[in-house]
Amino acid sequence: MTARDLSIGVDVGGTNTDAVVIDADGAVLARTKQATTDDVTGGIRAGIASVLAAVGEDRSRVSRVMLGTTHATNAIVGRQQLDRVAALRLGAPAATEYPPLLGWPQDLSRLVLAGSAMVRGGHMVDGTPIAPLDRDAVLRFLDEVGEFDAVAITGIFSPSSPDQEFEVAELVRRHRGPDTRVFLSQDIGPTGLLERENATILNAALHSVARSVTQALVTVVAEEGLDAQTFFAQNDGTLMSLDHTAQYPVLTIGSGPANSIRGAAFLSGTQDAVVVDVGGTTSDLGVLVKGFPRESTLPREIGGVRTNFRMPDVLSLGVGGGTVVDPATGAVGPGSVGYRISREGLSFGGSTPTLTDAAVLAGAAVGGLSLPPQPPSVQQALREGLELARTRLADAVERLSFGRTDVPLVVVGGGAFLVPDHLPGLGPVVRPDHGDVANAVGAAISLAGGRADRIAALEDRDRAVEDAAEAATAKAIQAGADPLAVTVVDVLETPVTYTDRPTVRVSVKAAGPLARVGERRLSRV
């Protein structure tokens, strides 16, 4: 019987769509870089076809396909294919001064919001109800709101007191039909009402986008005749199944940088490091902590909307292989030729000076390229531009490493040649093999994961950790993990201020290897 031990990883970037095939031991058997297409799916199709052609008859050994994609981000930024959402907040009479979608760009708000209501309910930080749940107000809202595609329900402190959100979800389905799409904030983000509500509404609005991209991936896999499970990368460097992706598409938004960081850890064998992924348009810098991306503790803006769901702590710079260098002053960016570099860069016979041209001039081996003769002024501008870019990269690494000089710097990405072998005041520079496709490798080797948050009095801390670990493990299994192999990989405890007794917020992350076909039951979407 043929072993089914190969996985395909695909990652969609702004310039390139990368794909790899790896075996059970983590060896990269095939790899490719394809230009990212306007519809994104075309680049995915080309990438998968290329690596399958490279492995030949071994394609029958492929059992899994993992994808990191920008579809969700593109839909929000481009205001395309978004669903209409009815937003319910449980918390009146508290928190009524700031209505749902406060601070959203007006064009996005008009496009997404079908209607909103703030009804009595919600909880205090210690679990005490703010007010009894007003079920009649929920039903009146459902009768009056008109047409909508989905309902987003957000309760004050629902991550630690989830019962009211569950009850309202059942009310909605009984009143509007069992197939009504309902999204709960407790599944999307931690405490922090407005940001969590924003993320939940965005998630509900992305359902059709998620359905289309999951179907596109299934279609590409079917076109290639693969008998393979499909998974999507999520923000924290883990994977989730297609049904989980359709329910929580907002969790894919930060998957690109997370894939790069996870891939860098795997390829370099480093568990704790600063990672810089230099692409064609930007450089994304992140931090590895125990093999996973360090997560940001600050709210993040997506398409002009402030959210607080888990995202990698990533610093992005306008420094990439396609970044334009001013031929007169040596100024770097902010413009980039992106995927057009093969037509417009000087080293490719074009007329636009880029950082790739500057690196070639400095002696970097970049795909056998050579720089055509240039006037002395242009050469000087390219030298100054490369020095400026490297200074920006060094400053960014120092910020992320908090001044520590013993932290390795793992350099990956197609533009890794922009980073010198030594940066003053920093740790050793590591350049792993296949680093230029680290993002696709990260998608291919990732675990399935889940996270849960709880708030409890300090004396109940142990119970809160146990409850959060149980919930995080359940989410990891729902995302596709083997139930027998899930483990807790991170526990974060944060004191809660402005409470009448010592209180702690507990955040637990669980992860495990993917289950084989038949080892788990699919969750309902």
Side-chain angles (χ1 to χ4, degrees):
M1 183 177 178
T2 302
R4 304 286 313 286
D5 58 346
L6 301 187
S7 299
I8 294 177
V10 183
D11 189 272
V12 181
T15 302
N16 293 310
T17 295
D18 297 345
V20 298
V21 176
I22 67 170
D23 64 16
D25 296 324
V28 178
L29 305 184
R31 42 174 286 170
T32 187
K33 278 184 176 290
Q34 301 287 332
T36 295
T37 55
D38 290 337
D39 66 352
V40 182
T41 305
I44 296 172
R45 180 178 286 110
I48 291 178
S50 177
V51 294
L52 286 175
V55 298
E57 294 182 358
D58 282 339
R59 61 185 291 141
S60 62
R61 295 167 56 190
V62 174
S63 61
R64 292 168 176 165
V65 179
M66 294 82 157
L67 174 66
T69 177
T70 59
H71 276 85
T73 305
N74 293 345
I76 296 170
V77 174
R79 315 312 200 224
Q80 297 174 345
Q81 205 181 342
L82 298 175
D83 290 339
R84 299 277 288 171
V85 180
L88 268 168
R89 182 191 296 173
L90 318 179
T96 56
E97 185 175 351
Y98 301 100
L101 277 68
L102 181 72
W104 282 45
Q106 290 188 1
D107 62 332
L108 184 59
S109 177
R110 287 193 299 267
L111 185 64
V112 168
L113 188 62
S116 66
M118 295 178 284
V119 305
R120 294 175 67 84
H123 293 82
M124 304 291 284
V125 65
D126 61 357
T128 303
I130 295 172
L133 179 62
D134 192 341
R135 299 168 184 82
D136 290 339
V138 172
L139 298 178
R140 287 195 301 272
F141 170 70
L142 294 173
D143 288 335
E144 296 169 359
V145 69
E147 295 299 320
F148 58 82
D149 298 303
V151 179
I153 302 170
T154 306
I156 297 179
F157 283 111
S158 64
S160 54
S161 301
D163 292 348
Q164 287 187 359
E165 285 193 355
F166 287 135
E167 184 175 351
V168 173
E170 288 304 311
L171 278 175
V172 171
R173 292 192 176 104
R174 285 202 304 265
H175 198 68
R176 296 294 294 247
D179 295 329
T180 304
R181 296 201 296 266
V182 180
F183 299 87
L184 307 182
S185 74
Q186 61 187 271
D187 298 325
I188 305 300
T191 54
L193 176 66
L194 297 182
E195 293 85 1
R196 173 164 44 91
E197 181 177 63
N198 288 345
T200 306
I201 295 170
L202 278 181
N203 186 74
L206 287 166
H207 187 270
S208 291
V209 174
R211 279 297 188 191
S212 65
V213 70
T214 55
Q215 187 56 53
L217 181 59
V218 169
T219 298
V220 171
V221 170
E223 288 174 351
E224 293 293 342
L226 296 177
D227 178 19
Q229 291 177 286
T230 47
F231 297 88
F232 277 75
Q234 56 180 330
N235 302 331
D236 62 358
T238 61
L239 297 170
M240 53 185 174
S241 58
L242 258 65
D243 56 326
H244 203 69
T245 303
Q247 185 72 2
Y248 308 115
V250 78
L251 298 182
T252 69
I253 285 176
S255 63
N259 283 345
S260 296
I261 296 170
R262 284 282 291 156
F266 180 79
L267 293 171
S268 67
T270 304
Q271 294 293 296
D272 298 279
V274 176
V275 174
V276 55
D277 178 13
V278 187
T281 305
T282 62
S283 293
D284 294 326
L285 296 94
V287 179
L288 266 172
V289 179
K290 299 179 181 178
F292 284 90
R294 184 174 72 190
E295 294 178 353
S296 174
T297 59
L298 300 175
R300 302 292 297 270
E301 274 203 6
I302 308 296
V305 178
R306 184 179 172 92
T307 66
N308 69 345
F309 57 84
R310 296 292 177 179
M311 289 278 284
D313 185 9
V314 172
L315 177 62
S316 293
L317 302 177
V319 173
T323 300
V324 175
V325 177
D326 189 311
T329 66
V332 174
S336 171
V337 296
Y339 61 82
R340 302 187 310 277
I341 190 171
S342 60
R343 301 192 306 268
E344 299 183 16
L346 295 178
S347 299
F348 295 89
S351 59
T352 304
T354 69
L355 285 177
T356 293
D357 303 314
V360 171
L361 177 65
V366 186
L369 293 175
S370 60
L371 186 68
Q374 300 294 324
S377 60
V378 173
Q379 294 185 39
Q380 181 62 26
L382 288 172
R383 293 189 186 95
E384 292 176 359
L386 182 61
E387 184 62 30
L388 178 59
R390 288 176 169 176
T391 299
R392 290 179 182 174
L393 288 168
D395 290 345
V397 172
E398 186 176 11
R399 285 173 57 187
L400 290 176
S401 65
F402 299 113
R404 290 180 55 186
T405 59
D406 58 339
V407 179
L409 174 65
V410 182
V411 184
V412 297
F417 52 80
L418 294 178
V419 182
D421 290 330
H422 176 72
L423 290 173
L426 301 176
V429 175
V430 180
R431 300 178 187 272
D433 292 339
H434 307 296
D436 57 332
V437 289
N439 46 8
V441 171
I445 57 90
S446 289
L447 307 175
R451 181 179 286 279
D453 296 83
R454 294 291 185 268
I455 293 179
L458 188 59
E459 61 265 26
D460 297 326
R461 175 260 177 201
D462 291 343
R463 180 179 175 183
V465 171
E466 291 177 4
D467 288 348
E470 182 179 348
T473 299
K475 290 182 178 181
I477 294 171
Q478 185 186 24
D482 182 347
L484 301 180
V486 178
T487 59
V488 172
V489 297
D490 186 38
V491 177
L492 177 65
E493 299 180 36
T494 308
V496 178
T497 56
Y498 305 110
T499 56
D500 59 358
R501 56 178 174 167
T503 302
V504 64
R505 174 181 161 226
V506 176
S507 182
V508 175
K509 179 178 180 178
L514 295 169
R516 295 290 177 183
V517 177
E519 290 181 350
R520 67 181 186 88
R521 293 178 297 175
L522 293 178
S523 61
R524 178 171 63 87
V525 177

